[in-house]
């Protein structure tokens, strides 16, 4: 009898565990509540407005809501810290849409004559209805017919906008003049002039002269309406691709940072796709989701609101809110380092710049990996780092730009127009080795790090192109490729510190990391081939280099390449590729500060491991990261990244939301 009872209890527990918790969806209006209840499968939680929903999800009272870019920005800030997990997809427009200004045909004003007009907006802080148009008008300035605003210290932004337009409907505004045209000023569907369809209705009813909405809103009324273009012209509503104010990120489902919860939300929504999830009945449109949505795209786990929106749009919203004022700290350069060795060198550099009171313009930050440093720079918690081409690529996909490039030819340092430096990616073996490019499979290898140019992207890209498989861990029998999964064969040969600490870590704390580390791995007979740069052997032999390199002779090593083998000095004829030099990356708005700071530094670069030992000077880069890397190298990376595991989590997150503006 007892056994029967125990089994019964266990069965009940199993049933409870098998039944997942319901997903609690936050709604902002009676119309959304009715749709949610009709869909079923969701627990419907109604709140007065967007911010109330954000707080409810933060506090665990609800689980998810779909937000536009402006609200995604707010949700991502502390203390909310919500993350986008699913992006709306609009068919051919992917995960982007266009912000447009719609006017009635027959009116005779353009973008430069909006002062004194009546305006209809989707809502305060929303992307197409507020952030883009107000940001654009602020950028134009009074001289070009735009808005004048001296910042929050002068007056609230709402007051400046209220002075610009004669009357408005901006749902959610606190300035009464901005609510003058609204039926009520609630930032929810209880206000008939809220959101895209509401702002357009405000225009249709004759309440306003211009409506700031998304590109799809007026398509069905094309005979009666036109778009205002940024160049001062007008075009048909169908011409939104060439007549818009910005191309902006899609709406996205946001939730707390919890993978299991995100999986549950995705699974429930997938069951509702054929049940009207993307359809709104009645006069109110875009309930819960935009009606134009065709599917939901799952975003990588690492995606934050900053990564999803992109730095350019994030900074545009940030400038509208004027949440930070310039301070002395903004004049400092915060350099990001990886590992204890780099940090120590940076501290030395910083100390050399200190004034009599011990203050230095250079502040040294540290992170565990280059990827973490890139994130830190993205989030404005650091300013710069020196990285190799593969990392320039990752940084570029995340919105950072190259600022300075290492120059290895001293003769080219004397002129600003000197050709940018390149170097050769090479494969090095011992001179008596019988290993060739064609017989490497099954052998042991040493790499600078996963994602680095000479040590990974170039050799593994060539091997992928040749053998057409992505399981790199099985190509070599054992390797040291810092940054790989510690339990894989790609980390088997790594040295680590005492008791194996920091083994396979992608920083100088792993002795086999970087050019010198990969060469050391091969020189100490851990691996049979090292993938490094052409100057590494000379820098660590014949009396050069650290203690471990003492006694090594350059004549004891040779190059191997797809065409054969050659002496170490013959790298121009026997290499894997000629690739861009290492570069300093930063945020776009910090580019000039970094260039000015580094140009003013008189540094012996060979003493600072933040730069390559062969660096003679740094030269300014005025190119995009794509132009800097060149099409040949970009194609090599793209080929390699056909293998999903070759893309870092950060790169995957940044490329998943890519939506450049048209400004």
């Amino acid at each position: 009898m007892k056994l029967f009872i125990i089994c019964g209890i266990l069965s009940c527990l199993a049933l409870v565990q098998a039944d997942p918790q319901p997903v609690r969806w936050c709604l902002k209006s009676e119309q959304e509540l009715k749709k949610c209840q009709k869909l079923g499968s969701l627990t419907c939680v109604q709140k007065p407005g967007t911010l109330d929903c954000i707080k409810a999800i933060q506090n665990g009272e609800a689980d998810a809501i779909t937000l536009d870019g402006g609200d995604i920005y707010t949700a991502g800030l502390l203390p909310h810290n919500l993350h986008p997990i699913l992006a709306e997809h609009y068919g051919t427009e992917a995960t982007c849409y266009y912000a447009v200004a719609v006017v009635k045909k027959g009116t005779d004003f353009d973008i430069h004559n909006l002062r004194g007009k009546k305006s209809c907006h989707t809502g305060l802080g929303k992307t197409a209805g507020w952030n883009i148009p107000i940001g654009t008008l602020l950028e134009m300035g009074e001289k070009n017919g735009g808005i004048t605003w001296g910042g929050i210290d002068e007056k609230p932004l709402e007051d400046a906008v209220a002075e610009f337009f004669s009357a408005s409907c901006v749902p959610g505004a606190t300035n009464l003049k901005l609510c003058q045209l609204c039926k009520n000023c609630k930032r929810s569907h209880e206000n008939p002039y809220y959101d895209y369809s509401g702002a357009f209705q405000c225009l249709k009813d004759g309440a306003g002269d211009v409506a700031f909405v998304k590109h799809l809103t007026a398509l069905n009324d094309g005979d009666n309406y036109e778009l205002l273009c940024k160049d001062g012209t007008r075009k048909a509503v169908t011409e939104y691709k060439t007549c818009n104010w910005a191309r902006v990120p899609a709406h996205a489902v946001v939730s707390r940072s919890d993978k299991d919860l995100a999986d549950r939300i995705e699974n429930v929504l997938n069951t509702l796709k054929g049940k009207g999830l993307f359809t709104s009945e009645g006069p109110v449109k875009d309930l819960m989701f935009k009606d134009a949505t065709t599917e939901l795209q799952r975003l990588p786990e690492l995606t934050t609101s900053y990564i999803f929106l992109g730095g350019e749009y994030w900074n545009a919203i940030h400038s509208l809110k004027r949440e930070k004022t310039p301070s002395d700290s903004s004049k400092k350069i915060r350099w990001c380092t990886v590992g204890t060795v780099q940090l120590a060198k940076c501290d030395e550099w910083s100390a050399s710049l200190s004034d009599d009171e011990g203050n230095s313009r250079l502040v040294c930050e540290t992170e565990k990996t280059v990827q973490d440093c890139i994130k830190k720079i993205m989030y404005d918690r650091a300013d710069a780092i020196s990285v190799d081409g593969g990392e320039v690529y990752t940084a570029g996909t995340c919105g950072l730009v190259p600022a300075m490039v290492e120059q290895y030819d001293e003769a080219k340092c004397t002129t600003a127009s000197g050709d940018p430096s390149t170097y050769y990616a090479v494969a090095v073996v011992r001179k008596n080795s019988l290993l060739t490019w064609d017989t490497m499979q099954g052998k042991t290898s040493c790499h600078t790090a996963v994602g680095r140019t000479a040590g990974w992207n170039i050799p593994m890209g060539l091997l992928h192109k040749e053998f057409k498989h992505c399981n790199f861990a099985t190509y070599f029998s054992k390797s040291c490729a810092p940054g790989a999964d510690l339990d894989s064969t790609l980390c088997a040969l790594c040295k680590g510190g005492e008791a194996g600490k920091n083994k396979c870590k992608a920083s100088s704390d792993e002795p086999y990391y970087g050019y010198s580390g990969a060469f050391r791995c091969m020189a100490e007979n851990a691996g049979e081939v090292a993938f490094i740069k052409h100057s590494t052997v000379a820098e660590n032999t014949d009396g050069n280099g650290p203690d471990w390199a003492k006694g090594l002779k350059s004549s004891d090593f040779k190059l191997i390449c797809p065409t054969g083998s050659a002496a170490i000095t013959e790298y121009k004829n026997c290499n894997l590729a000629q690739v861009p030099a290492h570069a300093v990356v930063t945020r776009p708005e910090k580019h000039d500060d970094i260039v000015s700071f580094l140009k003013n530094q008189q540094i012996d670069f060979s003493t600072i491991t933040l730069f390559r030992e062969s660096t003679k000077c740094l030269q300014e880069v005025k190119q995009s990261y794509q132009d800097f890397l060149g099409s040949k190298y970009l194609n090599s990376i793209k080929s390699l990244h056909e293998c999903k595991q070759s893309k870092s989590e950060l790169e995957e997150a940044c490329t998943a939301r890519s939506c450049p503006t048209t400004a």
Side-chain angles (χ1 to χ4, degrees):
M1 182 68 178
K2 288 182 179 180
L3 181 62
F4 176 78
I5 293 172
I6 291 171
C7 290
I9 293 172
L10 290 174
S11 297
C12 290
L13 286 173
L15 286 171
V16 170
Q17 290 173 349
D19 187 21
Q21 290 179 293
V23 170
R24 298 165 297 175
W25 202 271
C26 200
L27 299 316
K28 301 173 293 182
S29 67
E30 286 294 331
Q31 295 95 324
E32 283 195 330
L33 180 63
K34 288 177 182 177
K35 176 178 177 177
C36 177
Q37 292 171 336
K38 186 176 180 180
L39 285 170
S41 302
L42 292 169
T43 298
C44 308
V45 179
Q46 186 176 3
K47 294 290 179 181
T50 302
L51 186 58
D52 303 280
C53 277
I54 289 171
K55 290 178 179 177
I57 297 169
Q58 171 198 340
N59 296 328
E61 300 165 13
D63 297 318
I65 186 175
T66 307
L67 299 177
D68 97 317
D71 294 325
I72 291 170
Y73 170 89
T74 300
L77 298 175
L78 294 173
H80 315 307
N81 198 32
L82 304 187
H83 289 231
I85 58 171
L86 294 158
E88 291 184 344
H89 201 284
Y90 312 124
T92 57
E93 294 305 326
T95 54
C96 301
Y97 64 96
Y98 296 90
V100 297
V102 182
V103 294
K104 288 184 176 180
K105 282 185 177 178
T107 53
D108 60 356
F109 58 90
D110 60 31
I111 189 174
H112 302 295
N113 311 117
L114 287 174
R115 179 178 290 277
K117 298 296 187 292
K118 295 178 289 184
S119 60
C120 305
H121 305 255
T122 58
L124 185 72
K126 291 179 75 69
T127 300
W130 181 264
N131 294 336
I132 296 301
I134 302 307
T136 301
L137 291 169
L138 284 170
E139 188 178 345
M140 286 168 55
E142 186 175 10
K143 185 178 179 181
N144 294 309
I147 298 174
T148 301
W149 183 46
I152 194 66
D153 294 336
E154 177 187 280
K155 68 181 77 169
L157 176 58
E158 285 187 42
D159 291 356
V161 177
E163 292 170 6
F164 181 79
F165 294 112
S166 61
S168 302
C169 177
V170 184
T174 56
N175 185 299
L176 294 179
K177 191 179 176 186
L178 295 182
C179 293
Q180 189 173 331
L181 302 181
C182 299
K183 303 287 187 180
N184 66 64
C185 212
K186 289 185 178 180
R187 199 171 179 272
S188 78
H189 290 103
E190 293 178 17
N191 174 2
Y193 286 171
Y194 168 71
D195 212 358
Y196 301 112
S197 57
F200 187 46
Q201 191 64 46
C202 167
L203 176 66
K204 291 174 75 172
D205 289 348
D209 301 312
V210 58
F212 299 106
V213 291
K214 66 179 180 184
H215 68 280
L216 297 170
T217 307
L219 282 183
N220 293 329
D221 292 279
D223 293 339
N224 302 311
Y225 298 92
E226 292 178 314
L227 303 179
L228 296 185
C229 310
K230 290 176 72 175
D231 63 3
T233 63
R234 288 188 177 206
K235 287 187 179 179
V237 295
T238 55
E239 299 296 309
Y240 55 83
K241 287 188 179 180
T242 56
C243 182
N244 62 76
W245 289 30
R247 187 169 178 237
V248 293
H251 291 203
V253 177
V254 301
S255 184
R256 297 179 297 281
S257 181
D258 181 334
K259 185 178 184 303
D260 292 338
L261 176 58
D263 290 342
R264 189 150 43 91
I265 292 168
E266 182 182 25
N267 291 337
V268 170
L269 294 178
N270 280 338
T271 66
L272 296 173
K273 281 183 181 178
K275 300 179 181 179
L277 186 65
F278 307 137
T279 304
S280 301
E281 298 177 356
V284 180
K285 302 301 180 185
D286 302 316
L287 297 175
M288 296 177 63
F289 295 90
K290 286 169 69 173
D291 295 343
T293 306
T294 56
E295 61 179 300
L296 296 173
Q297 173 191 338
R298 180 66 180 268
L299 298 170
E301 191 176 353
L302 198 63
T303 306
T304 61
S305 55
Y306 182 98
I307 288 175
F308 179 75
L309 296 175
E312 187 174 5
Y313 182 51
W314 176 279
N315 291 331
I317 302 175
H318 201 69
S319 65
L320 286 181
K321 297 180 182 295
R322 292 289 200 273
E323 289 170 346
K324 290 200 306 183
T325 54
S327 64
D328 289 340
S329 62
S330 66
K331 299 175 184 177
K332 294 182 180 294
I333 300 298
R334 298 164 297 176
W335 203 277
C336 198
T337 63
V338 178
T340 55
V341 175
Q342 277 198 3
L343 178 60
K345 289 292 185 181
C346 184
D347 285 340
E348 288 180 25
W349 184 12
S350 176
S352 71
L353 302 177
S354 296
D355 59 22
D356 293 338
E357 297 178 358
N359 297 316
S360 175
R361 194 183 171 195
L362 180 68
V363 177
C364 300
E365 304 285 347
T366 187
E367 285 294 338
K368 293 180 179 178
T369 67
V370 172
Q371 305 281 321
D372 291 334
C373 271
I374 291 173
K375 284 190 285 184
K376 199 161 190 167
I377 296 168
M378 289 164 58
Y379 301 149
D380 194 11
R381 296 198 288 268
D383 298 315
I385 184 176
S386 178
V387 294
D388 97 320
E391 293 154 344
V392 169
Y393 180 83
T394 299
T397 63
C398 293
L400 304 188
V401 296
M404 298 287 274
V405 61
E406 295 178 350
Q407 176 58 261
Y408 310 125
D409 185 343
E410 196 158 8
K412 294 179 180 178
C413 290
T414 55
T415 58
S417 59
D419 295 331
S421 268
T422 59
Y423 65 93
Y424 294 91
V426 297
V428 178
V429 298
R430 287 191 170 274
K431 191 172 184 178
N432 58 3
S433 173
L434 299 178
L435 191 64
T436 68
W437 181 261
D438 297 323
T439 62
M440 286 193 302
Q441 191 160 6
K443 301 300 189 292
T444 54
S445 61
C446 304
H447 307 257
T448 56
V450 172
R452 293 277 295 266
T453 300
W456 186 263
N457 291 344
I458 296 301
M460 304 316 283
L462 290 172
L463 292 174
H464 171 254
K465 189 174 181 180
E466 188 173 343
F467 294 100
K468 303 296 183 185
H469 74 76
C470 294
N471 193 356
F472 298 128
T474 63
Y475 185 81
F476 296 105
S477 61
K478 290 182 180 180
S479 304
C480 178
D485 183 349
L486 184 59
D487 296 326
S488 78
T489 58
L490 290 172
C491 285
L493 300 182
C494 291
K495 193 179 183 75
E498 293 182 11
K501 187 178 180 182
N502 296 320
K503 182 177 180 179
C504 209
K505 187 177 177 183
S507 79
S508 53
D509 293 334
E510 162 56 63
Y512 289 169
Y513 168 76
Y515 299 119
S516 296
F519 177 58
R520 180 180 180 181
C521 165
M522 189 270 297
E524 293 182 346
N525 295 312
E528 296 167 86
V529 59
F531 299 107
I532 50 181
K533 67 181 290 189
H534 69 274
S535 61
T536 305
V537 175
E539 292 164 357
N540 292 279
T541 57
D542 303 330
N544 300 316
D547 289 342
W548 63 262
K550 302 302 181 188
L552 293 179
K553 297 179 180 180
S554 59
S555 57
D556 290 336
F557 302 94
K558 67 179 179 181
L559 305 175
I560 60 171
C561 52
T563 57
S565 64
I568 290 296
T569 55
E570 295 298 312
Y571 53 83
K572 289 186 178 180
N573 299 318
C574 185
N575 62 72
L576 307 184
Q578 187 175 6
V579 295
H582 289 217
V584 175
V585 295
T586 186
R587 297 181 306 283
E589 72 274 12
K590 202 70 178 176
H591 176 280
D592 292 349
D593 287 342
I594 298 298
V595 170
S596 176
F597 171 73
L598 291 174
K599 279 186 175 180
N600 288 333
Q601 290 298 298
Q602 300 298 320
I603 302 170
D604 179 1
F605 293 103
S606 66
T607 66
I608 301 177
T609 58
L610 303 178
F611 303 101
R612 305 285 73 74
E613 293 179 5
S614 52
T615 304
K616 305 303 180 186
C617 67
L618 297 175
Q619 293 176 311
E620 183 176 358
V621 178
K622 297 180 180 179
Q623 299 170 298
S624 66
Y625 81 94
Q626 296 100 325
D627 290 340
F628 172 76
L629 293 174
S631 58
K632 201 170 182 180
Y633 185 54
L634 284 175
N635 290 335
S636 174
I637 292 182
K638 288 174 182 176
S639 172
L640 181 62
H641 287 181
E642 291 174 11
C643 300
K644 187 176 180 181
Q645 67 267 37
S646 292
K647 294 176 70 172
S648 68
E649 286 184 297
L650 179 60
E651 182 192 330
E652 188 177 357
C654 288
T655 52
R657 60 82 186 138
S658 182
C659 184
T661 63
T662 58

